[in-house]
Amino acid sequence: MTYVERTIPKISLKNKDQRREEIKDQLFYAAKNIGFFTLCEQDCPSRDDIEEMFQLSQKFFGLPHDAKMKTPHIKLLNSGFESCSQIRPSTGTADQKESLQLQYHRINQNWPAEEDVGREWREKTKAFMEKCQQLSNFVMELFAEALGYPTDFFTKAHIISSDTAQTTLRLLHYFDTSGRKFDGNFWRAGPHTDFDCLTLLFQRTGDHGLEVCPGREAHTDFGYSDKWTPVPSKTGDIVINIGDMLMSWSDDILKSNFHRVRLPTPDENQGDRYTIAFFNQANTDVVIQGPLKKYPPVTGKEFIEEAMRKNFERLQNVA
Ligand SMILES: O=C(O)CCC(=O)C(=O)O
Ligand SMILES: [Fe+2]
């Protein structure tokens, strides 16, 4: 396994409305090359908002297993709680983690109950999703403009309050590995690309392990090289990466690259690792096709279904 030093661009959002053009250039450059970049000095969500969301997440994961299983993962909706059940086609082993996936419009359907997480949990989580959406919209507007599309091209396809929404907030908890020995191909999260448009990832200072492997030319490619680069972790900053849906929608101009979270080595922090991901996925009824028509048109629903199908097909090939 080789490590290569690369710069993960760090882009400040200070006075972002006055610096729109400058930020647009920086985002476009980062998205065309490495597909990963870090946003900092944003007003919203603030560092306090992010820290509060981590506390809410820890509150949920601290519940007894039975309480967490009251909102089980529903594959068809890609929502709910799962533990050690996500098997990546790249590894054939289950990720060493548990997660809760939430969709804004399903707050009364598959979200933790007030009796378990307390009165304010849902409202605060909902407000955090709104803040994530607001920031995502700013980034998606700039990508649309940089690609020469109308400003609202992507944002009007991501309406989280609609019944057709697919955007998901995923709370992630990677287990403490102290004293544990893993034989074989085990990962906190095996190598994969995201299949959404844009992922906002919140990490905490010291919770290392995320690594990226740039170089993908087409969103349909499954191969990746062995040249990885660590992505720094800092509480309050926001790591953004491009997913397959946006790579396709930009005719492969913006790059969705492989990334993974490796298990800590004995001389690293082996404690619990918490992260939060906000996956922007276009509404089910939106048609996805870039202006060059490099790929046939598909709806948001078909895109996600196909991504899931491919992942499971590969899994069968591995097995
Ligand atoms: O937790 C992380 O650092 C990355 C998670 C991730 O890549 C994912 O859930 O898709
Ligand atoms: Fe990912």
Side-chain angles (χ1 to χ4, degrees), residues 87-94 185 191 222 224 310-319:
I87 301 177
R88 306 278 183 186
S90 59
T91 63
T93 58
N185 193 15
F222 192 65
Y224 49 90
K310 267 197 218 152
N311 274 278
F312 284 104
E313 194 176 74
R314 287 206 194 90
L315 178 60
Q316 276 155 18
N317 291 341
V318 170

Coordinates of all heavy atoms in Angstrom, one line a residue, residues 87-94 185 191 222 224 310-319:
I87 N -21.6 -4.6 3.9 CA -20.4 -5.3 3.3 C -20.1 -4.6 2.0 O -20.9 -4.5 1.1 CB -20.8 -6.8 3.0 CG1 -21.2 -7.4 4.4 CG2 -19.6 -7.5 2.4 CD1 -21.6 -8.9 4.2
R88 N -18.9 -4.1 1.9 CA -18.4 -3.4 0.6 C -18.0 -4.4 -0.4 O -17.2 -5.3 0.0 CB -17.3 -2.5 0.9 CG -17.5 -1.5 2.0 CD -18.2 -0.3 1.6 NE -18.4 0.7 2.7 CZ -19.1 1.8 2.6 NH1 -19.8 2.1 1.5 NH2 -19.2 2.6 3.6
P89 N -18.4 -4.2 -1.7 CA -17.9 -5.2 -2.7 C -16.4 -5.2 -2.8 O -15.8 -6.2 -3.2 CB -18.5 -4.6 -4.0 CG -19.6 -3.7 -3.6 CD -19.3 -3.2 -2.2
S90 N -15.7 -4.1 -2.4 CA -14.3 -4.1 -2.5 C -13.6 -4.9 -1.5 O -12.4 -5.2 -1.6 CB -13.8 -2.6 -2.4 OG -14.2 -2.1 -1.1
T91 N -14.3 -5.3 -0.4 CA -13.6 -6.1 0.6 C -14.3 -7.4 0.9 O -13.6 -8.3 1.3 CB -13.6 -5.3 2.0 OG1 -15.0 -5.1 2.4 CG2 -13.0 -3.9 1.8
G92 N -15.6 -7.5 0.8 CA -16.3 -8.7 1.1 C -16.5 -8.9 2.6 O -17.0 -9.9 3.1
T93 N -16.0 -7.9 3.4 CA -16.2 -8.0 4.9 C -17.1 -6.8 5.4 O -17.1 -5.8 4.7 CB -14.9 -8.0 5.6 OG1 -14.2 -6.7 5.3 CG2 -14.0 -9.1 5.3
A94 N -17.7 -7.0 6.5 CA -18.6 -5.9 7.0 C -17.8 -4.8 7.6 O -16.8 -5.0 8.3 CB -19.5 -6.5 8.1
N185 N -9.1 -8.9 5.9 CA -9.4 -7.6 5.1 C -10.5 -6.8 5.8 O -11.6 -6.7 5.3 CB -9.8 -8.1 3.7 CG -9.8 -6.9 2.8 OD1 -9.3 -5.8 3.0 ND2 -10.5 -7.1 1.6
P191 N -13.0 0.5 0.8 CA -12.9 1.5 -0.3 C -14.2 1.5 -1.1 O -14.8 0.5 -1.4 CB -11.8 0.9 -1.1 CG -10.9 0.1 -0.2 CD -11.9 -0.5 0.8
F222 N -14.8 0.8 -11.8 CA -14.7 0.3 -10.4 C -13.3 0.1 -9.9 O -13.1 -0.1 -8.7 CB -15.5 -1.0 -10.3 CG -15.7 -1.4 -8.9 CD1 -16.5 -0.7 -8.1 CD2 -15.1 -2.5 -8.4 CE1 -16.7 -1.0 -6.7 CE2 -15.3 -2.9 -7.0 CZ -16.1 -2.1 -6.2
Y224 N -9.4 1.0 -8.7 CA -8.7 2.1 -8.1 C -7.2 1.7 -7.9 O -6.9 0.6 -7.8 CB -9.3 2.6 -6.8 CG -9.6 1.4 -5.8 CD1 -8.7 1.0 -4.9 CD2 -10.9 0.7 -5.9 CE1 -8.9 0.0 -4.1 CE2 -11.1 -0.3 -5.0 CZ -10.1 -0.7 -4.1 OH -10.4 -1.7 -3.3
K310 N -25.7 -2.7 -8.6 CA -24.3 -3.0 -9.0 C -23.4 -3.4 -7.8 O -22.6 -4.3 -7.9 CB -23.7 -1.7 -9.6 CG -23.8 -1.5 -11.0 CD -22.8 -0.5 -11.5 CE -23.4 0.4 -12.6 NZ -22.9 1.7 -12.6
N311 N -23.7 -2.7 -6.7 CA -22.9 -3.1 -5.5 C -23.2 -4.5 -5.1 O -22.3 -5.2 -4.7 CB -23.2 -2.1 -4.4 CG -22.3 -0.8 -4.5 OD1 -21.2 -0.9 -4.0 ND2 -22.9 0.2 -5.1
F312 N -24.4 -4.9 -5.1 CA -24.7 -6.2 -4.7 C -24.3 -7.3 -5.7 O -23.9 -8.4 -5.3 CB -26.2 -6.4 -4.4 CG -26.6 -5.7 -3.1 CD1 -27.2 -4.5 -3.0 CD2 -26.2 -6.3 -1.9 CE1 -27.4 -3.9 -1.8 CE2 -26.4 -5.7 -0.7 CZ -27.0 -4.5 -0.6
E313 N -24.3 -6.9 -7.0 CA -23.9 -7.8 -8.1 C -22.4 -8.1 -7.9 O -22.0 -9.3 -7.9 CB -24.1 -7.2 -9.4 CG -24.0 -8.1 -10.6 CD -24.3 -7.3 -11.9 OE1 -23.5 -6.5 -12.3 OE2 -25.5 -7.5 -12.4
R314 N -21.6 -7.1 -7.6 CA -20.2 -7.3 -7.4 C -19.9 -8.1 -6.2 O -19.0 -8.9 -6.1 CB -19.5 -5.9 -7.2 CG -19.4 -5.2 -8.6 CD -18.3 -4.2 -8.6 NE -18.4 -3.4 -9.7 CZ -19.1 -2.2 -9.7 NH1 -19.6 -1.8 -8.5 NH2 -19.2 -1.5 -10.7
L315 N -20.8 -7.9 -5.2 CA -20.6 -8.6 -3.9 C -20.7 -10.1 -4.2 O -20.0 -10.9 -3.7 CB -21.7 -8.2 -2.9 CG -21.6 -8.9 -1.6 CD1 -20.3 -8.7 -0.9 CD2 -22.8 -8.4 -0.7
Q316 N -21.7 -10.5 -5.1 CA -21.9 -11.9 -5.4 C -20.7 -12.5 -6.1 O -20.3 -13.6 -6.0 CB -23.2 -12.1 -6.3 CG -24.4 -12.2 -5.4 CD -25.7 -11.8 -6.2 OE1 -25.6 -11.7 -7.4 NE2 -26.7 -11.5 -5.4
N317 N -20.1 -11.6 -7.0 CA -18.9 -12.0 -7.7 C -17.7 -12.3 -6.8 O -16.9 -13.2 -7.0 CB -18.5 -10.9 -8.8 CG -19.5 -10.9 -9.9 OD1 -20.3 -11.8 -10.1 ND2 -19.5 -9.8 -10.6
V318 N -17.6 -11.4 -5.8 CA -16.6 -11.6 -4.8 C -16.7 -12.9 -4.0 O -15.8 -13.6 -3.8 CB -16.5 -10.4 -3.8 CG1 -15.6 -10.6 -2.7 CG2 -16.1 -9.1 -4.5
A319 N -18.0 -13.1 -3.6 CA -18.3 -14.3 -2.7 C -18.0 -15.6 -3.4 O -18.0 -15.7 -4.6 CB -19.7 -14.2 -2.3

